[in-house]
Amino acid sequence: MGTEHAHPNPGAHDHHDEHGASHGSMREYVVGFLLSVVLTAIPFWLVMTGAIPDKQTTALVIMAFAVVQIVVHMIYFLHMNTKSENGWTVMALIFTIVLVIITLSGSLWVMFHLNTNMMPMSVHDMGQLP
């Protein structure tokens, strides 16, 4: 009887690839990095040059770039796909997105109604205060 510990599955390797999780190659990390830089530089350029005159359109374009960048990070750096961990990473992502949407929409709804209902007087009446 030696002090060696037997591996529960002697034929198994100590790699995480058995569970479907893929580890990125250097090429994938470089592609992800370059995409992230481009997806950061374009919105920065849009704001600094005023390429889109309408501020609301600029904000929507920046939000679209942000969503694309989130997807790039999830694919290239977090290695999330439907094959990883039997799809549980995607289920956790969907659950997180639903919670974020509920939280953000509820917060915006509360702030809008507080702003509307808590204003006691109009701006014109403020000059008549003692």
Side-chain angles (χ1 to χ4, degrees), residues 32-111:
F33 175 74
L34 292 175
L35 284 172
S36 297
V37 168
V38 168
L39 291 170
T40 301
I42 292 173
F44 184 79
W45 174 80
L46 286 174
V47 171
M48 294 305 290
T49 61
I52 302 174
D54 185 35
K55 292 182 189 255
Q56 290 178 340
T57 305
T58 303
L60 289 175
V61 169
I62 290 172
M63 293 295 282
F65 274 98
V67 169
V68 172
Q69 192 168 79
I70 289 170
V71 172
V72 165
H73 281 255
M74 289 186 329
I75 292 171
Y76 286 98
F77 300 119
L78 297 177
H79 309 294
M80 292 182 72
N81 58 30
T82 55
K83 297 174 188 159
S84 297
E85 299 178 20
N86 295 327
W88 280 107
T89 54
V90 175
M91 291 300 293
L93 173 67
I94 292 169
F95 180 70
T96 303
I97 289 171
V98 167
L99 284 179
V100 167
I101 289 171
I102 290 171
T103 304
L104 287 177
S105 60
S107 297
L108 290 173
W109 181 75
V110 166
M111 287 188 285

Side-chain angles (χ1 to χ4, degrees), residues 106-118:
S107 297
L108 290 173
W109 181 75
V110 166
M111 287 188 285
F112 173 77
H113 285 285
L114 280 176
N115 185 39
T116 303
N117 296 328
M118 297 300 287

